[in-house]
Amino acid sequence: MEISEGFHFLKVEKRGVVDSSSLLAIRDRKGFSCVEIGGGGEANIRQTLGLFEASGLAIENLHTVIISHTHADHMGAIAHFRGLLPALTVVDHALDAPYLRDNSLLEKAFDADLVAERFPGTRFSILDFYAAFCPISQTEPDRTVVEGDRIECGDYAFEVLHTPGHHPGHISLYERRLGLLFVGDMVGMEVPFYTPSSGGVEGYTASLRKYLALDVRRILPSHGDPIESPREAVENALAKVGRREERLMEALRLGPRTFHELLPELFRSPSQHVFPGAALLASHLGKLEREGVVGEEPDGRFVLL
């Protein structure tokens, strides 16, 4: 889909447990830049190349990749394309760069140790998860950006927004002239996901509220279709987070509850309690504890204060 002259939204259709992210491709005199590069593995790479070809973009003309955050579906193929294109420039947020250099740090960002604490004998590894469904890779960024920086792409200029919550170094990109906002995984996901080590629920909701202060006419998400009612979509995401918290509060009004007794308030299916349930619940309980609303008793049960 051509959003504006030389500005393409390359949508990836949902087909598996972890799908490659959609991409932005922006033409310029040197070739083209790309926001995201998709997941690793032969099938994902073939899909990305097919998207480029369908839009008339020759892979040898790709000169810059901007990464919203180091999750496999967004950048897992980066090592492959860097090997194919040695002069490729990789742009990443300064807080995301350590994860791009060393994928093993993602275990902390996903709070894998929380699973071991709350589910003794259960091992959760995001790298094992990615290896099974969407391979990841690592590389050294050539340029790091922070909040307020500008990234020039042909006739367009993106303002960098640091939007943590989903990941510590997650960025969104705002093209002010067109009123376009690329949000990565912050809006458009079926299940908004945030972890304590990635900014938690406070970081996630603060990032969403940052969007509401902008003049946005269209949102481009990493998963799903372009969003033509951006304010409504952001407010719906905030409301979904609010409903999660209210369900926890309703349960606690009935009396003390353990961590495991609260998990079904967020996810009915036990298959989701380890991931993503544990991190989401810990994010909400941490927020409520910091606000002085909830406390944890010596026996491990949570109570309203």
Side-chain angles (χ1 to χ4, degrees), residues 68-90:
S68 71
H69 63 297
T70 298
H71 284 182
D73 49 327
H74 298 259
M75 47 58 66
I78 190 63
H80 171 85
F81 285 102
R82 177 149 257 180
L84 190 66
L85 305 164
L88 187 67
T89 295
V90 177

Side-chain angles (χ1 to χ4, degrees), residues 71 108-111 164-169 194-200 203-204:
H71 284 182
K108 175 60 178 173
F110 276 82
D111 288 283
H166 181 74
H167 183 71
Y194 33 87
T195 73
S197 295
S198 291
Y204 181 77

Side-chain angles (χ1 to χ4, degrees), residues 66-70 90-102 105 139-149 151 160-164 167-173:
I66 304 161
I67 295 171
S68 71
H69 63 297
T70 298
V90 177
V91 182
D92 195 22
H93 191 275
L95 291 179
D96 191 57
Y99 302 93
L100 184 61
R101 295 186 187 105
D102 181 1
L105 297 177
T139 192
E140 180 72 26
D142 300 286
R143 176 188 174 190
T144 57
V145 294
V146 296
E147 173 88 16
D149 283 351
I151 303 174
V160 175
L161 306 174
H162 179 217
T163 48
H167 183 71
H170 189 290
I171 61 170
S172 302
L173 300 171

Side-chain angles (χ1 to χ4, degrees), residues 147-158:
E147 173 88 16
D149 283 351
R150 287 168 60 89
I151 303 174
E152 305 285 344
C153 294
D155 294 331
Y156 305 97
F158 292 114

